[in-house]
């Protein structure tokens, strides 16, 4: 075993995070009363950006602490600037006051081998998990705290912090792991033991499904909110594939391009009708999905429940159906099997161009909009035509690290 977790000394109350606690907190003294930095210090350097579970907010880890931003309307909701440096990982739990923090970045005095569970209402660390190797990612849900190392994943209960599961994985330097966030399903997806393989844990069904997604190593993945569909890309970065997590069946394959690319993000719309992909090629692509859609541009729990009923029947006929728009294909697609494979591929339905010199991460907003955050401190919001596709329209562009975005 390359790492071990310490035993946290705190019971959390994920319902409201305000319940009485009979145990003593195990905390670092520097976190009990963090010293806020003066507003006149040098501008913070951006270390990381990450969406919350429903993409309504994002967190920015900086060289001085962290900041939280609301997307619609765009607003910096709060910031914490600390004298002891910043955080490489800032993971939100929806819009609650609970975050997971991992140190890193310039001049950070917080270790990259420790997860700090931070209660921002109390402005203190309420629990911690220590490991022997660097933490690659942390994922939160209402039920779990998931810590991702390069070769192992630890799953803890959010209620009492018990270790529930340890998963051995293929080399995972990107910290790939994703969770479902629907009350009716409990799903975790992560790299399997073999290259290009994904392991899907259906906790509610006590079932493990293996998906042979790609020949090359996995570069990016995401689940629908109910965990029943999985989208993946490999380190080649040319194809994105969508799978049924119940039986591992491939439902659709779309093509980002012909040249190799580093895929930065994959996002699925709440209504499971659209897929967004960002890469180092400087284009955010939108694809139309051929999966059954309940309602139009709806993210209601009723829609999710109906999709759950359809997919848990293991019926592929219930999963695949036409969407509003159609991804364009090659005019030579009729020669499928004769010409190279890319001539018969599905290409992107809509596009938005950003800089190629920095990483961008895309997520879906409301009413056919896409939010894009960049490691250069840029935030874009753009819209796409759900019928005709084409070039997306920019609605908003903000440099979110500027001081004039400070909460008022």
């Amino acid at each position: 075993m390359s790492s071990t977790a310490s035993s946290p000394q705190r019971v959390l109350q994920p319902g409201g995070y305000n319940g009485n606690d009979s145990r003593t907190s195990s905390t670092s003294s520097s976190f009990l009363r963090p010293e806020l930095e003066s507003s006149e210090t040098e501008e913070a350097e951006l270390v990381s950006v990450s969406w919350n579970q429903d993409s309504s907010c994002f967190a920015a880890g900086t060289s001085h602490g962290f900041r939280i931003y609301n997307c619609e309307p765009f607003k910096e909701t709060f910031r914490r600037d600390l004298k002891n440096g910043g955080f490489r990982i800032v993971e939100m739990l929806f819009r609650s006051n609970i975050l997971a923090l991992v140190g890193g970045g310039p001049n950070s005095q917080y270790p990259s081998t420790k997860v700090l569970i931070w209660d921002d209402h109390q402005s203190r660390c309420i629990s911690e998990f220590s490991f022997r190797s660097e933490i690659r990612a942390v994922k939160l849900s209402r039920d779990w705290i998931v810590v991702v190392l390069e070769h192992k994943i630890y799953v803890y209960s959010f209620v009492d912090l018990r270790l529930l599961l340890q998963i051995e994985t293929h080399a995972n330097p990107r910290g790939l792991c994703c969770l479902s966030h629907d009350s009716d399903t409990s799903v975790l997806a992560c790299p399997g033991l073999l290259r290009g393989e994904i392991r899907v844990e259906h906790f509610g069904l006590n079932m493990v499904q293996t998906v042979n997604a790609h020949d090359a190593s996995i570069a990016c993945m995401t689940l629908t909110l109910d965990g029943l569909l999985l989208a993946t890309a490999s380190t080649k970065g040319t194809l994105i594939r969508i799978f049924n997590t119940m039986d591992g069946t491939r439902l659709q394959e779309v093509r980002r391009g012909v040249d190799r690319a580093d895929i930065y993000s994959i996002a699925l719309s709440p209504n499971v009708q659209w897929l967004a992909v960002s890469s180092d090629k400087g284009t955010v692509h939108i694809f139309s999905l051929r999966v059954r859609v309940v309602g139009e541009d709806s993210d209601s729990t009723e829609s999710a429940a109906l999709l759950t009923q359809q997919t848990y029947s293991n019926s592929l006929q219930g999963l695949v159906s036409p969407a509003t728009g159609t991804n364009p294909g090659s005019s030579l697609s009729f020669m499928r099997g004769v010409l190279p494979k890319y001539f018969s591929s599905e290409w992107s339905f809509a596009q938005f161009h950003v800089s190629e010199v920095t990483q961008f991460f895309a997520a879906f907003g409301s009413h056919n909009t896409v939010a894009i955050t960049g490691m250069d401190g840029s935030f874009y919001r753009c819209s796409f035509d759900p019928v005709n596709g084409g070039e997306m329209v920019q609605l908003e562009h903000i440099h979110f690290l500027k001081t004039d975005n400070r909460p008022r």
Side-chain angles (χ1 to χ4, degrees), residues 165-303:
L165 183 65
Q166 300 179 48
I167 303 173
E168 301 278 352
T169 70
H170 192 263
N172 186 16
R174 298 174 185 241
L176 301 178
C177 181
C178 42
L179 308 177
S180 66
H181 298 288
D182 186 271
S183 58
D184 296 324
T185 55
S186 297
V187 184
L188 177 151
C190 64
L193 288 171
L194 303 178
R195 184 179 65 183
E197 179 182 271
I198 294 177
R199 172 181 176 134
V200 181
E201 293 272 352
H202 288 270
F203 289 98
L205 301 176
N206 196 26
M207 180 184 82
V208 178
Q209 179 66 51
T210 299
V211 178
N212 296 312
H214 300 271
D215 293 330
S217 297
I218 306 299
C220 198
M221 67 170 78
T222 193
L223 288 167
T224 47
L225 289 175
D226 59 16
L228 299 179
L229 294 178
L230 169 74
T232 68
S234 76
T235 50
K236 280 189 67 175
T238 54
L239 299 172
I240 294 85
R241 291 170 174 160
I242 297 89
F243 297 90
N244 176 358
T245 64
M246 291 297 296
D247 58 14
T249 304
R250 187 199 302 178
L251 302 176
Q252 190 174 352
E253 177 182 274
V254 297
R255 180 173 289 275
R256 179 215 54 81
V258 178
D259 298 330
R260 293 183 76 99
D262 190 1
I263 302 298
Y264 296 145
S265 69
I266 301 176
L268 292 160
S269 65
N271 62 9
V272 201
Q273 189 171 354
W274 308 104
L275 179 146
V277 178
S278 66
S279 74
D280 63 349
K281 296 300 183 181
T283 303
V284 176
H285 294 273
I286 305 297
F287 297 89
S288 175
L289 294 181
R290 290 182 284 103
V291 296
R292 183 169 296 281
V293 180
V294 182
E296 189 145 343
D297 203 24
S298 167
D299 57 358
S300 68
T301 54
E302 181 181 353
S303 299

Side-chain angles (χ1 to χ4, degrees), residues 69-188:
Y69 298 88
N70 187 71
C71 292
E72 293 185 53
F74 185 86
K75 178 184 178 183
E76 182 181 324
T77 57
F78 67 88
R79 65 170 67 187
R80 298 293 176 258
D81 290 334
L82 310 177
K83 286 188 173 180
N84 293 331
F87 300 99
R88 183 175 49 85
I89 296 173
V90 181
E91 180 75 5
M92 301 178 66
L93 180 61
F94 292 94
R95 304 179 72 94
S96 77
N97 53 293
I98 300 297
L99 301 99
L101 305 173
V102 178
N107 306 315
S108 178
Q109 297 180 29
Y110 305 116
S112 62
T113 56
K114 182 178 291 187
V115 180
L116 303 158
I117 305 300
W118 174 266
D119 184 337
D120 200 72
H121 179 71
Q122 301 181 55
S123 293
R124 70 187 186 103
C125 176
I126 56 177
S127 190
E128 62 184 42
F129 301 81
S130 296
F131 300 85
R132 292 180 185 152
S133 60
E134 183 176 324
I135 295 162
R136 301 295 184 175
V138 181
K139 302 295 179 182
L140 300 180
S141 74
R142 293 184 178 93
D143 300 318
W144 310 323
I145 301 170
V146 180
V147 182
V148 184
L149 309 182
E150 184 157 355
H151 293 278
K152 200 159 194 176
I153 292 176
Y154 294 85
V155 182
Y156 298 89
S157 165
F158 218 140
V159 175
D160 56 14
L161 303 181
R162 287 182 303 111
L163 178 62
L164 301 177
L165 183 65
Q166 300 179 48
I167 303 173
E168 301 278 352
T169 70
H170 192 263
N172 186 16
R174 298 174 185 241
L176 301 178
C177 181
C178 42
L179 308 177
S180 66
H181 298 288
D182 186 271
S183 58
D184 296 324
T185 55
S186 297
V187 184
L188 177 151

Side-chain angles (χ1 to χ4, degrees), residues 182 184-185 226 228 301 303-313:
D182 186 271
D184 296 324
T185 55
D226 59 16
L228 299 179
T301 54
S303 299
L306 184 50
L307 182 61
T308 300
Q309 293 172 0
Q310 293 167 340
T311 52
Y312 261 68
S313 70

